Amino acid sequence: MAVIRSVIRGVGAHLPKRVVTNDDLSKIVDTTDEWIVERSGIRSRHIAGDDELTSDLGIAAARQALVRAGIDPVDIDLVICATATPDKTFPATAVRIQHGLGITKGAAFDVQAVCSGFIYAMTVADNFLKSGQFVRALVIGAETFSRILDWSDRSTCVLFGDGAGAVVLEAQPQHGNRDDRGILSTTIRSDGRFEDLLYVDGGPGSTKTVGHLRMNGREVFRHAVQKISGVIEETLVATGYAADEIDLYVPHQANARILDGIAKKLGVSPDKIMMTLSRHGNTSAASIPLALAAAVDEHKVKEGKLVLMEAMGGGFTWGAVLARW
Ligand code: UT7
């Protein structure tokens, strides 16, 4: 039976120019390169300049994705931006990106699911394309987490970075079986009982300030391994694939030890897990599309390959998307 699937046509990425190393951070907080590498796997991250906004990073990533897809911006009818660090409380960063690209038709809005934002945004876009309401979507993950870090808190400020990634999705008729190209499965979950473990201590409706990120790293780590493994297993059961049939896992990049732990739990070789963490840090909603773009550049994904993306973040929120390239 013919069905509509959301096929990934192109991927783009953009990182601010300024690179901050672990040694640079050791000059502002009591930390060492050794501690950061051993506990997280991060060696450096990109940090946006004062004049670089989340929407600027998103526009640059989207432009590259459109060029690589061979699609004109005016043919995009849906723009979704996953971000927890919007330029302004409103309008939505997605609308600013839409405007920056010269698109005046269709719809644009933000999705807020913190580090799971890209998985949520892909899920929303996929459902719109499958329903026939839109035909070509730009899904962007863009963040300037440096703006919400407490630069005196060594337990968090060493972990995050700024950047943006984008994909172009297009509704295409497929056969309706698991060999189809495009998004084959999406799963999103949330549970607000864990808010105190990872949150920002401000906001327009509570403190009238932006606030700073606060995290109980050890507890978040424990939940991340559990919840991410769970959602991967759900995805594999739903689609009938074995863990080693997936060509590439493209996880949210929070901690190398989490990714190693998941590889071990699934029994898959670590070279099937895309890792960009060492040079990007945790870029929240941008981390998966940034890693996807790196995977394309390194020829790790090409047409026909099965790619499983997954994330967990503040909320808690978590989820997974399985797609055939
Ligand atoms: O993207 C959203 C999801 N986020 C995550 O998945 C993050 C999950 N958590 C983690 O990645 C890890 O828990 C961290 C990397 C944040 C921390 O690693 P850890 O092995 O859990 O360390 P810890 O928090 O238990 O801290 C161990 C020690 C503490 O000292 P004491 O209490 O043992 O004396 C910390 O004060 O390390 C200390 N510490 C540091 N030392 C040097 C914390 N931050 C630093 C630092 N440099 N930057």
Side-chain angles (χ1 to χ4, degrees), residues 111-316:
V111 162
Q112 219 293 39
V114 207
C115 298
S116 315
F118 186 73
I119 296 292
Y120 269 64
M122 288 284 271
T123 301
V124 174
D126 180 46
N127 281 297
F128 270 123
L129 297 196
K130 284 192 303 196
S131 77
Q133 203 164 340
F134 297 104
V135 178
R136 280 179 212 91
L138 248 177
V139 181
I140 301 143
E143 301 279 16
T144 47
F145 253 52
S146 59
R147 310 280 212 271
I148 55 164
L149 295 176
D150 174 350
W151 287 99
S152 66
D153 174 12
R154 68 174 184 175
S155 72
T156 53
C157 75
V158 303
L159 301 173
F160 295 89
D162 301 335
V167 305
V168 178
L169 294 177
E170 183 175 62
Q172 288 185 6
Q174 295 285 318
H175 299 292
N177 58 48
R178 68 179 208 161
D179 298 325
D180 285 352
R181 286 190 72 196
I183 294 178
L184 301 175
S185 155
T186 60
T187 307
I188 51 173
R189 300 277 181 265
S190 60
D191 187 340
R193 284 177 298 168
F194 305 106
E195 177 180 332
D196 289 351
L197 299 179
L198 177 53
Y199 64 101
V200 165
D201 62 4
S206 51
T207 58
K208 301 182 205 161
T209 62
V210 172
H212 292 114
L213 182 145
R214 305 292 172 204
M215 176 166 74
N216 178 335
R218 206 176 291 189
E219 277 302 299
V220 174
F221 190 107
R222 202 170 59 76
H223 281 280
V225 175
Q226 227 176 50
K227 291 185 164 46
I228 291 171
S229 306
V231 81
I232 291 175
E233 271 153 30
E234 256 185 79
T235 302
L236 295 174
V237 168
T239 52
Y241 284 108
D244 63 3
E245 286 181 280
I246 303 300
D247 294 298
L248 191 68
Y249 290 82
V250 183
H252 168 52
Q253 310 282 312
N255 187 311
R257 288 185 293 137
I258 296 179
L259 306 191
D260 290 341
I262 290 164
K264 232 177 242 148
K265 217 166 170 184
L266 292 169
V268 301
S269 141
D271 64 11
K272 280 198 167 187
I273 314 268
M274 190 65 202
M275 283 236 210
T276 49
L277 185 76
S278 66
R279 54 189 199 267
H280 296 170
N282 179 345
T283 57
S284 185
S287 89
I288 292 176
L290 276 169
L292 268 183
V296 171
D297 289 346
E298 293 167 26
H299 309 289
K300 287 187 173 163
V301 285
K302 42 183 181 272
E303 198 170 320
K305 296 285 181 195
L306 269 179
V307 178
L308 202 157
M309 300 158 248
E310 39 78 4
M312 194 206 80
F316 288 150

Side-chain angles (χ1 to χ4, degrees), residues 79-128:
V79 180
I80 305 180
C81 180
T83 187
T85 46
D87 294 359
K88 298 179 175 180
T89 303
F90 76 82
T93 300
V95 179
R96 305 191 94 210
I97 293 173
Q98 180 196 36
H99 176 63
L101 295 169
I103 306 169
T104 53
K105 68 170 189 190
F109 56 88
D110 289 353
V111 162
Q112 219 293 39
V114 207
C115 298
S116 315
F118 186 73
I119 296 292
Y120 269 64
M122 288 284 271
T123 301
V124 174
D126 180 46
N127 281 297
F128 270 123

